[in-house]
Each structure stands twice: as structure tokens, then as C-alpha cells.
Amino acid sequence: RHTRSFHVTGVQTCALPISTGTVVERLLREPGVTSVFDTNGRWDLLAQLDADSTTALSELLGRVRQISGITDSETNIHLATLG
């Protein structure tokens, strides 16, 4: 069985109506969430996730989307590093 590591470059979240700090704490408690970044523009936060399979990634995304305070999200998968 071949195992791949999937790196999601972002589950960008709008963290309202509760404080961003609360959402960050909840994200970091999730196994598979490796980093959370403050950002500007459309999204309040960017979370980096690691999963060993598409099934594990799907399950992790489902848990992240259920975190209270996350009102919207967009997922991007890191396909390659170009530089």
C-alpha cells in the first residue's frame, strides 16, 4: 500500500462572530492542523493541514468546518513547490 502525504495550503476561514483567538485555539487542537496564519483580505485565517490520504483529508476538513466561529472556508491543495 502506497501512502502519500497531502498538504492543504489553506482552509481559509472567516472567524466571526467569536474571537479569532478562540478559533485559532480550536484549530490547533485538531490533529492534522500544523500551522495557523493571520492574513488579510477576504479571509481572516489560513490553516495548514497535513493528511496521509484523501479520505483522512476529507475527514479532517469536515471536523475543521464544524468548529464554532468558522463561517466560511475555501480549501486549496498544495500540488508542487516551484521555487
Side-chain angles (χ1 to χ4, degrees):
R1 180 173 172 231
H2 181 60
T3 302
R4 293 185 186 137
S5 179
F6 291 87
H7 301 281
V8 178
T9 57
V11 174
Q12 297 97 355
T13 64
C14 292
L16 301 174
I18 65 175
S19 79
T20 300
T22 301
V23 174
V24 170
E25 289 173 15
R26 291 175 182 172
L27 281 166
L28 290 172
R29 279 190 233 139
E30 275 299 326
V33 175
T34 59
S35 302
V36 179
F37 305 93
D38 186 22
T39 185
N40 66 341
R42 179 177 175 199
W43 304 104
D44 297 316
L45 300 171
L46 185 141
Q48 184 172 336
L49 287 70
D50 287 323
D52 293 331
S53 68
T54 54
T55 299
L57 177 59
S58 179
E59 291 169 358
L60 176 57
L61 289 171
R63 291 192 311 271
V64 165
R65 290 179 181 134
Q66 294 299 312
I67 292 174
S68 178
I70 294 180
T71 58
D72 198 6
S73 68
E74 178 179 304
T75 303
N76 298 286
I77 297 175
H78 176 188
L79 298 175
T81 301
L82 302 176

